[in-house]
Amino acid sequence: MTEKLYVSPSPHLRSGATTRKLMGDVLIALIPAAVASVIIFGVRALMILMVTVVSCVLSEYIARKLMKRDNTIPDLSAVVTGVLLAFNLPVSINPLIAAFGGVVAIVVVKQMFGGIGMNFVNPALTARIVLMASFPSQMSVWSEPFYYLKGSADAITTASPLNQMANGGQLPSLGALFLGFRAGCLGETCAVALILGGLYLAFRKVIRVEIPLCYIGTALLFTWILGQNPIEHLLTGGLLLGAIFMATDYATSPLTMKGRIIFGVGCGLLTVLIRVFGALPEGVSFSIIIMNILVPHIERLTRPKPFGEEARHEKA
């Protein structure tokens, strides 16, 4: 027998997917929303995107150097974090604040816990929460869509749709909400662009659909039960952005099918409770972060029994 047999640790079946390929697909999926943000909010939106991406990439490079670890910039994960962070910021934000958010996301949330795959909460969302707590006024200034076409160099401020809903104000039409012609963070306004990106990720099998479907479905169901308009809640705020691009983060979401369902339902329920009963009009960031923290417990409760293992009650 001349053929040699090798013994190696699992996994024995490999898909060929790499972090760089997966992050590249995510970036492709984010392009429609990025283009929509520039069209709706002007060239300043592109500037904020560039600031957060450069801040995240530089933060990762410097942190890895100081920690004497291998350079991980080519895997594109820092670029994805930078884009998602920009998508969670208003267009009027001071660029220095946006850059500070990139440092928090990469250095504090990601690298201090070991790098990609080791963080237990979503870096972009955690950075947004830190910025909301540190700079509440700057993070709550919303600009009218297409303000730059009105002959003013400065953004024309207005109330966000979620604030209008909370105060009983008049919302834009459903068509305008669907196309993104409303105030809000850069990447959350254009629903059609986010849906196109989600469909691409599902087609490429980059994400599993259980979390987005359970998240969105739960939010729609409970807003209807509480007497709210489900479609308005879907098309306002960051529900679609969070459900498609951030709740599905590999490092911070469950691996099991049951776990993903529980995770999605929990995110949807918490989002509705915060929006309807909380002091803040938006609950997407907090709901995902809370469920991120609960992921280890969800996975322990939904972990499948190994084949051949005797059940505890049978031993008794």
Side-chain angles (χ1 to χ4, degrees):
M1 182 175 179
T2 58
E3 184 178 358
K4 293 183 179 180
L5 300 178
Y6 296 93
V7 178
S8 64
S10 61
H12 304 293
L13 298 178
R14 301 178 183 272
S15 65
T18 63
T19 301
R20 183 182 176 88
K21 289 180 181 179
L22 293 175
M23 293 299 106
D25 277 330
V26 174
L27 286 174
I28 292 174
L30 290 169
I31 288 176
V35 172
S37 71
V38 175
I39 293 174
I40 296 169
F41 295 112
V43 70
R44 184 177 173 85
L46 180 60
M47 184 265 290
I48 297 298
L49 275 164
M50 294 176 62
V51 167
T52 54
V53 169
V54 170
S55 173
C56 287
V57 171
L58 284 179
S59 296
E60 178 141 325
Y61 177 79
I62 294 172
R64 300 295 290 189
K65 279 288 186 182
L66 293 176
M67 295 177 180
K68 297 181 180 180
R69 296 174 179 171
D70 295 336
N71 180 19
T72 54
I73 292 176
D75 65 16
L76 300 179
S77 61
V79 178
V80 170
T81 299
V83 175
L84 289 176
L85 174 58
F87 278 12
N88 281 275
L89 301 176
V91 69
S92 58
I93 194 75
N94 187 311
L96 294 177
I97 296 177
F100 173 69
V103 175
V104 172
I106 297 297
V107 177
V108 179
V109 184
K110 183 180 176 184
Q111 294 302 330
M112 284 189 176
F113 287 91
I116 185 171
M118 304 297 290
N119 52 285
F120 66 96
V121 289
N122 186 279
L125 284 182
T126 307
R128 183 194 182 190
I129 291 175
V130 170
L131 294 182
M132 288 173 61
S134 305
F135 311 97
S137 58
Q138 293 90 336
M139 289 290 291
S140 303
V141 177
W142 310 108
S143 303
E144 286 187 0
F146 307 110
Y147 70 87
Y148 59 94
L149 298 178
K150 298 180 180 181
S152 173
D154 298 324
I156 302 173
T157 60
T158 184
S160 70
L162 285 176
N163 282 317
Q164 291 174 328
M165 287 174 59
N167 298 320
Q170 182 66 35
L171 289 177
S173 66
L174 291 181
L177 291 175
F178 185 71
L179 294 175
F181 302 159
R182 64 171 178 86
C185 295
L186 290 182
E188 70 181 21
T189 60
C190 188
V192 62
L194 295 170
I195 293 172
L196 286 174
L199 291 175
Y200 173 81
L201 292 179
F203 174 77
R204 294 282 294 172
K205 297 182 179 180
V206 174
I207 64 172
R208 302 290 293 271
V209 299
E210 294 89 1
I211 290 177
L213 291 181
C214 291
Y215 192 160
I216 295 170
T218 301
L220 293 177
L221 175 62
F222 277 92
T223 48
W224 175 74
I225 291 175
L226 293 173
Q228 305 281 319
N229 187 321
I231 303 302
E232 289 181 352
H233 272 274
L234 176 66
L235 298 179
T236 56
L239 180 56
L240 284 172
L241 175 63
I244 295 172
F245 290 100
M246 286 175 287
T248 54
D249 178 30
Y250 288 161
T252 58
S253 60
L255 297 175
T256 63
M257 171 76 77
K258 292 180 181 179
R260 289 192 292 269
I261 293 173
I262 294 172
F263 183 86
V265 170
C267 287
L269 178 59
L270 288 173
T271 297
V272 173
L273 292 177
I274 294 172
R275 282 187 175 186
V276 177
F277 300 108
L280 295 174
E282 179 61 286
V284 170
S285 299
F286 291 99
S287 66
I288 295 177
I289 292 297
I290 291 171
M291 293 306 296
N292 286 163
I293 297 172
L294 295 177
V295 164
H297 304 288
I298 295 173
E299 291 195 322
R300 187 173 66 251
L301 293 173
T302 60
R303 181 175 54 196
K305 185 178 69 174
F307 180 76
E309 181 179 293
E310 186 177 359
R312 292 185 178 181
H313 69 273
E314 294 176 357
K315 291 182 179 179

